[in-house]
Each structure stands twice: as C-alpha cells, then as structure tokens.
Amino acid sequence: MILYVSALFAVVLMPAVTRITKLRVRSYHPSRPVAIILLIVAVTAVLALFFTTGLPPVLRDLSNFSAELPKRIPEMVGRIKKLPLADKFGIDSLAQRTAGAVDATAGYLFTALPNWLSHLFDILTAAFLCIYFMLEGEHAYDFFLSLFPKAERGRLNNTFKKAESKVSKWLLGQGLLMLILGISSTIVFGLLHVRYFLLLGFLMGLLNIIPIAGGVITIVLAAGVAALDSWTKAAGVLIFYLIYVNIESAFLTPRIMRSSVNLMGLTVLVALLLGTALAGVVGALVSVPTAALIAVFLDEYAVQRD
C-alpha cells in the first residue's frame, strides 16, 4: 500500500516538477532535484499553515458544536413542531438519532487523531519513496514497459501518459472546486453569523469530492445549524447554495474540469467506500485517483466502440 500510494503521488506531482524545471531565471533552469526540493518546501509550508492556522479553529468548532448540540436540539424540535404536519415525521426520535450520530462522529475524530499520528513512520516512508519515484521513476517505468512485448509498448505507453495527464488534471480541478466552495461557504456563513462557520465551511469543501450526496449532506447540516438561531439564517444558507450550484455547473465545472477524465457520481462514491473498507483513511485518499486511472484503461482496452 505504501509503495502504491508513493507511486501515485509521484505521478500526480510530476507535472508540477516539470513546470518548475521549465522556469527560467536569466540563463538558469532548475534541475529536477532542485525542482523537487522547491516543491517539497512549498507543500510543507502549505501543510504547516493548515495544521497550525486552519485546523485548530475547525477542531475547536467541532468540540463546541458536539458539546452544545444536546442543549440546542430541544429548541430546534420545538420550532419544527410548530410547522404543519411536523408530528407525523417522528421529529423527537429523529432529533435523538441526529444527536447520537454527531456525538459519535466527533468522538471518533478526536480519539482517532492519535491513531493517525501513530502512523507517522509510514507517512515519512511514503514521502521518501515518493521523492525517489520522482527522481528515478523514469528508469522504473522503462523497466516496467520492457516486460511487455515490443508491439504492445507503444499503445501501453500512450495510455499511461494519457492516464497521468487526466488523473493529474482531475485532481487539480477537483481540489480547486473544493477550495472555492470551502472558502466561499466560510465567508458567506461568517457574514450570516452562522455558528461554527469555520467547521461548516471546511466540511462543505471537503465533502464536495462526493458529487451531489456530499453537497446535500453538508448543506442540510449547515442549514440545520443556522436554523438553531433563526429561519432567516437557514434561508440565507440555502439561497447561497442554490446560487453556488448554478454558478458551478454553468461556469466553474465546464472550465475547470473540461480536460479531465469524467467520473460519474456513483463511481466516486463506490471508490470512496471500497477504498475506506480496504485501507481506511489512506484507501479513501487514493481511491478516487485510482478510479480515474482505471477509467482511462477501461476506456482504452475494454470499451467496445461501434
């Protein structure tokens, strides 16, 4: 698993390394080792900024939210019961299940964090292997191609190159869409004075990797939290999301994702479920790029075109 994750991340990061080597400072072009060092410094800086500045407020909001939710649910239930036909939907049992699910999720995140940190050695190993793959991956790739008959190498090589390009572009495009939604949600929720807007904005961006279902889950959660204060805030959250969905589908997605491999929402969801079941958090992390890779190979070797 560590070898596969390292190789996959090396493939995804190589286009960035290639672009850095093409930079020109007067007559100087960075070599590949220098480009890799610059990329490592940039990634380390971004992760350090996230873990020291971005993540602590989100975890604090999560802790406060899980502690305050049991006190706020009766207020919410009282408001919902005033709506017509509300008693027929079992609001009380639904509220209890929601509170239990939130408490269980928050407890899992806090208790699982030390377990994730215990895999620090595996993470460092994967990082070093990724560096070696970027430095010497071409030699390993040439050896891999030499294992196949000469007549098949050209097609296989072209398929791998196509897969590398499309998977990298898909990851970049999906990451950009997640970042746009996360930042815009955080800003709008903050302006609306929605409680835990940092946590909700983070979840909006993170779960945007799951088409449709991720957005529905997070917007229902955000609207429910906003409704704890007022229906006006909940309406504002829903209006924002409706506007964003239209902007994303009409403007952002066609321009950002047009050159990437197309993955159906069902494909993404199944990949995430399988990856999580097979290898936990690491499996979920690499599941969607793996699904994109498989999709390219199926399109080249398995799909029968009329």
Side-chain angles (χ1 to χ4, degrees), residues 88-247:
K88 295 184 178 182
F89 294 97
I91 300 300
D92 292 326
S93 61
L94 180 62
Q96 292 176 357
R97 292 178 183 177
T98 302
V102 171
D103 287 340
T105 302
Y108 169 77
L109 290 175
F110 281 109
T111 56
L113 185 60
N115 295 330
W116 298 348
L117 294 177
S118 67
H119 295 288
L120 183 61
F121 178 76
D122 294 339
I123 295 173
L124 293 175
T125 303
F128 279 108
L129 281 172
C130 182
I131 294 172
Y132 275 103
F133 274 122
M134 287 190 288
L135 285 171
E136 304 177 356
E138 290 182 355
H139 302 293
Y141 178 69
D142 291 338
F143 173 75
F144 174 76
L145 286 180
S146 69
L147 300 176
F148 293 86
K150 192 172 183 178
E152 299 179 7
R153 292 177 194 172
R155 183 183 183 187
L156 184 61
N157 179 57
N158 292 333
T159 305
F160 268 112
K161 295 297 182 183
K162 185 193 299 184
E164 175 190 2
S165 175
K166 287 187 173 293
V167 170
S168 298
K169 289 178 179 178
W170 186 88
L171 282 174
L172 180 61
Q174 187 62 44
L176 187 57
L177 289 175
M178 293 166 66
L179 184 64
I180 292 172
L181 178 57
I183 292 176
S184 59
S185 300
T186 302
I187 293 174
V188 172
F189 295 167
L191 292 175
L192 291 173
H193 300 288
V194 177
R195 294 171 182 263
Y196 321 112
F197 66 93
L198 290 173
L199 171 63
L200 295 173
F202 176 78
L203 291 177
M204 289 288 289
L206 181 65
L207 294 184
N208 192 40
I209 193 173
I210 307 176
I212 304 175
V216 170
I217 293 171
T218 48
I219 199 61
V220 168
L221 177 61
V225 173
L228 293 175
D229 291 331
S230 69
W231 294 117
T232 304
K233 289 184 181 181
V237 168
L238 294 174
I239 291 171
F240 155 75
Y241 189 68
L242 289 175
I243 294 173
Y244 176 82
V245 166
N246 283 277
I247 293 175

